[in-house]
Amino acid sequence: MSNPCREVITLQLGHYSNFVGTHWWNLQDAALSYDPETPPGDIQSDVVFREGQTLGGHVTHTPRLIAMDLKGSLRTLRQDGSLYDPGRDSSPLTWDGNLMMHKESPPAKNPFLEDLDKLDKGEILAEAYLYTTSQPQSSGAVSVDTVNSQLARLQKGYRLEGSVRVWSDFLRIHLHPRTVSVIHQYNHDGEAHRLEAFGQGEGLLQGSVLEELEDKLHFFVEECDYLQGFQVLCDLADGFAGLGSKVTEMLQDAYGGRGILTWGLAPVSHPDSTPMKNLFHQLNCTLGTVHLANNSSFFCPLTLRGGLGRRPSSPTAFPHLNYDPSLWYHSSSVLALALDALTSPYRLRNNSVPMWQVADTLAVSGRKVVAAYGAVPFPMMHDSSLPDALSACTDALPWKPLSACSEAGDGKCYSQLATLKGFEGQKLISSLAPGTKPSTPLHSLHSGEDVLASYIRSFYPTAPLALQLVSTPSKLTPPFPQIFSQSLGAQGFLQSQPLSPGSPAPVVSSVPVMTSLQSAPVLGRWLSELHRGVSTFDIRRMAPSFLSQGPEMADYEEALEELRHLARCYRDDSGGVMRSSSEEDDYD
């Protein structure tokens, strides 16, 4: 059933959140279709994009987005953008004295940004026109897809690993002038005036910062007809955790009837880390988890770290990815692919699940922290079927932790939302000739939903399960990093034959992804580990500067008690299995 467009406003708070968000918006831009002859896909782009017009009357589609970051974090990106640029002010100067001009050289642009400038100036469009008209049976019309393919053809895949310093270095879309908000009180680079502590972030949401945020929110909210809520991407390991706590509290007070789905982002590693900085990261993650969960419809940490403590295990590894965990440009691309699937249910064109319903499915009885898992990419052979793919994963689920929280493996789960995105062109059921005996029970089922539900219930037999199957894959366009193994073909499916020696690996242009959001008893142990990690030392002795700008010691202790109570909400009181005394200590 077709739905009215239920708009979503996105907030990105912090530098790593903007890394993930930039990849995510690039994926959304790749899915936009401007061709009226092209059938619409599964995803309704207007949920997150707004339509506007330039001064020249050209129709634009820009994200319904507020992105906050620190001074020095934009490099070549203008804060007010260039899409609606009215031109330079040519009014004469009225100063009669001497003038001395100091012109600072702008930061150098990488090859991708240089080509984007050419595209804006029409140079690549002209090359695309020449390319199009040179093809047989050409009508001379230049489509957006042709421009995109020409952009890809010009560079044959940008290698930006050595040149990406900030998120705008790989941003391929125009932003609305009201999108970017720069916090000038703190620096992005350097040792001085860094936003390192939770209390610093809490203290920011006042004065001009608060006024600017309220002004931007009102602008985007007032043009929505059916606002369903807000998706908040917030850095968890630095002072933005404190700012995000105050922002979500403000959203809850002003728009309490809307969904507030908060994703807490943490990179695998930080540049120039020290033991004291790592301690601050742990404290920020702990306080951020408590407050963001309190103020949101649900809270989900997203990270490829092996844990949020000071000594995490190895980063999450995926069988068909060759990514560098230390590169934010790489790790954020993996999380963005997962987030594209995780957020799909409330962005569907037909039969979408509103934000409030997603939250109500997962956040029950005070359990507002959920864990994410993902198969990036989902291992499916080209020209095979979903039963074939799942039958190859009978020993273990194909997804990996995306929240630094491993699955318990005991089949216990309070609720789960699983999404399979990107099976376009593949069979969801087995095509058996009459009289043929199915090779597995999955091959005997008659719908993709039944196949996926039967498979997941073989691991979680009693857990409530919600499913979403989305045919459209995540489309990858430059400059998404080519982090995929040679076992994948161009559409992201496994190849039946290995590449011959010396053959170049195909450029992967789309991938299928499978994700799961879970509320499970294992989260209680995960939250208890957070609590123990900061309860084993005296913060006033080891990190007195953390409390110097807030929170007060009493507020800090209250937050730890709230975390302890939150962990107890995940106790498994089913009576099926008695916990040992050590397991009781995890909660008590």
Side-chain angles (χ1 to χ4, degrees):
M1 186 174 105
S2 181
N3 306 298
C5 179
R6 297 189 179 99
E7 300 94 344
V8 170
I9 295 173
T10 303
L11 290 90
Q12 294 167 193
L13 312 176
H15 203 62
Y16 191 65
S17 292
N18 282 313
F19 260 75
V20 177
T22 297
H23 277 304
W24 190 84
W25 286 109
N26 286 349
L27 293 173
Q28 308 319 306
D29 177 67
L32 278 174
S33 176
Y34 301 94
D35 186 354
E37 302 298 323
T38 302
D42 296 323
I43 301 297
Q44 189 169 11
S45 297
D46 290 347
V47 170
V48 295
F49 281 98
R50 61 180 299 281
E51 187 174 297
Q53 272 194 342
T54 65
L55 294 176
H58 299 292
V59 175
T60 62
H61 292 84
T62 53
R64 199 175 286 109
L65 166 68
I66 299 171
M68 302 183 76
D69 215 325
L70 305 179
K71 182 172 65 175
S73 62
L74 302 184
R75 292 194 79 229
T76 60
L77 179 69
R78 283 175 45 180
Q79 182 175 346
D80 57 354
S82 58
L83 195 60
Y84 304 106
D85 188 0
R88 297 182 181 273
D89 184 5
S90 58
S91 56
L93 294 172
T94 57
W95 173 254
D96 294 330
N98 294 328
L99 288 175
M100 181 175 292
M101 299 289 290
H102 296 274
K103 188 173 181 180
E104 184 179 356
S105 299
K109 293 187 175 183
N110 60 45
F112 168 70
L113 294 179
E114 289 177 348
D115 279 351
L116 276 188
D117 285 345
K118 293 179 182 178
L119 182 63
D120 283 342
K121 295 173 184 176
E123 295 173 20
I124 284 183
L125 191 64
E127 293 181 46
Y129 176 78
L130 292 174
Y131 174 79
T132 300
T133 53
S134 68
Q135 303 306 302
Q137 302 177 341
S138 168
S139 65
V142 183
S143 69
V144 172
D145 288 341
T146 300
V147 174
N148 282 335
S149 64
Q150 184 73 358
L151 192 61
R153 189 180 69 84
L154 287 174
Q155 290 294 332
K156 296 185 175 65
Y158 299 90
R159 301 296 180 184
L160 303 184
E161 282 76 4
S163 61
V164 167
R165 293 176 53 195
V166 298
W167 51 272
S168 61
D169 285 339
F170 58 97
L171 178 70
R172 62 172 283 130
I173 60 175
H174 284 290
L175 302 177
H176 191 273
R178 292 181 185 262
T179 281
V180 177
S181 181
V182 175
I183 298 170
H184 292 278
Q185 292 93 321
Y186 294 97
N187 294 324
H188 168 65
D189 289 319
E191 288 298 319
H193 303 292
R194 300 295 297 270
L195 186 60
E196 294 181 325
F198 186 88
Q200 292 174 304
E202 275 193 311
L204 273 174
L205 203 62
Q206 56 184 318
S208 60
V209 175
L210 175 60
E211 291 173 7
E212 183 178 359
L213 177 59
E214 288 180 331
D215 177 65
K216 293 176 185 293
L217 272 173
H218 290 158
F219 172 79
F220 288 114
V221 168
E222 288 172 3
E223 65 177 12
C224 294
D225 294 323
Y226 301 97
L227 176 66
Q228 63 171 307
F230 305 86
Q231 55 182 16
V232 181
L233 280 63
C234 180
D235 280 14
L236 201 55
D238 57 24
F240 275 101
L243 176 62
S245 299
K246 287 298 184 181
V247 169
T248 50
E249 182 181 4
M250 183 187 77
L251 293 176
Q252 188 180 53
D253 291 341
Y255 308 100
R258 315 294 183 185
I260 304 172
L261 306 189
T262 302
W263 312 87
L265 279 301
V268 173
S269 60
H270 291 81
D272 305 321
S273 286
T274 65
M276 183 56 66
K277 288 181 179 179
N278 290 336
L279 179 59
F280 272 43
H281 296 158
Q282 183 178 16
L283 290 165
N284 290 326
C285 288
T286 302
L287 294 178
T289 296
V290 175
H291 290 280
L292 290 169
N294 281 343
N295 301 330
S296 305
S297 305
F298 78 50
F299 168 74
C300 180
L302 282 182
T303 182
L304 300 179
R305 281 174 63 93
L308 296 182
R310 283 172 284 168
R311 288 178 287 274
S313 56
S314 300
T316 303
F318 299 87
H320 305 293
L321 293 184
N322 298 318
Y323 80 101
D324 183 344
S326 67
L327 289 181
W328 286 20
Y329 174 55
H330 277 193
S331 65
S332 60
S333 70
V334 179
L335 292 179
L337 275 175
L339 195 62
D340 191 29
L342 291 166
T343 59
S344 291
Y346 55 83
R347 298 187 291 118
L348 292 175
R349 186 175 304 278
N350 299 310
N351 302 315
S352 69
V353 183
M355 277 183 158
W356 64 264
Q357 190 173 335
V358 172
D360 284 354
T361 299
L362 295 163
V364 179
S365 301
R367 297 187 288 262
K368 294 174 72 174
V369 178
V370 300
Y373 304 87
V376 185
F378 175 63
M380 191 172 186
M381 194 75 69
H382 185 67
D383 284 336
S384 68
S385 68
L386 183 58
D388 293 335
L390 296 176
S391 296
C393 306
T394 54
D395 294 333
L397 288 153
W399 52 58
K400 304 296 181 182
L402 299 175
S403 299
C405 180
S406 298
E407 288 183 287
D410 57 7
K412 293 180 181 179
C413 184
Y414 297 121
S415 56
Q416 181 172 184
L417 170 60
T419 301
L420 174 60
K421 186 177 190 295
F423 53 84
E424 191 173 65
Q426 307 302 301
K427 299 187 290 290
L428 290 178
I429 60 174
S430 181
S431 302
L432 295 176
T436 304
K437 183 180 178 179
S439 55
T440 72
L442 295 178
H443 288 80
S444 67
L445 300 175
H446 301 293
S447 73
E449 289 81 359
D450 288 344
V451 171
L452 187 55
S454 178
Y455 172 76
I456 294 176
R457 287 196 173 111
S458 68
F459 293 90
Y460 294 98
T462 62
L465 173 65
L467 295 174
Q468 285 287 350
L469 272 66
V470 183
S471 173
T472 307
S474 297
K475 297 180 180 178
L476 312 180
T477 51
F480 195 93
Q482 286 295 311
I483 54 176
F484 306 97
S485 74
Q486 294 189 357
S487 59
L488 298 182
Q491 280 71 50
F493 297 108
L494 296 174
Q495 300 187 96
S496 56
Q497 298 293 330
L499 288 175
S500 57
S503 298
V507 174
V508 178
S509 59
S510 64
V511 288
V513 174
M514 186 177 179
T515 58
S516 172
L517 282 172
Q518 297 182 16
S519 174
V522 68
L523 275 161
R525 293 190 283 277
W526 182 83
L527 291 166
S528 292
E529 288 171 8
L530 276 185
H531 183 274
R532 279 199 307 275
V534 298
S535 301
T536 54
F537 60 85
D538 184 353
I539 189 174
R540 287 168 292 195
R541 183 176 62 85
M542 288 191 63
S545 60
F546 186 85
L547 299 175
S548 62
Q549 298 188 53
E552 299 289 338
M553 189 63 196
D555 295 330
Y556 174 76
E557 292 174 341
E558 181 181 351
L560 295 193
E561 185 57 34
E562 288 181 24
L563 180 59
R564 181 184 173 96
H565 174 75
L566 182 60
R568 290 175 65 89
C569 292
Y570 292 84
R571 292 180 67 156
D572 177 21
D573 294 324
S574 63
V577 179
M578 288 289 291
R579 291 191 303 273
S580 67
S581 59
S582 62
E583 288 175 315
E584 288 285 352
D585 291 342
D586 284 347
Y587 295 90
D588 302 324

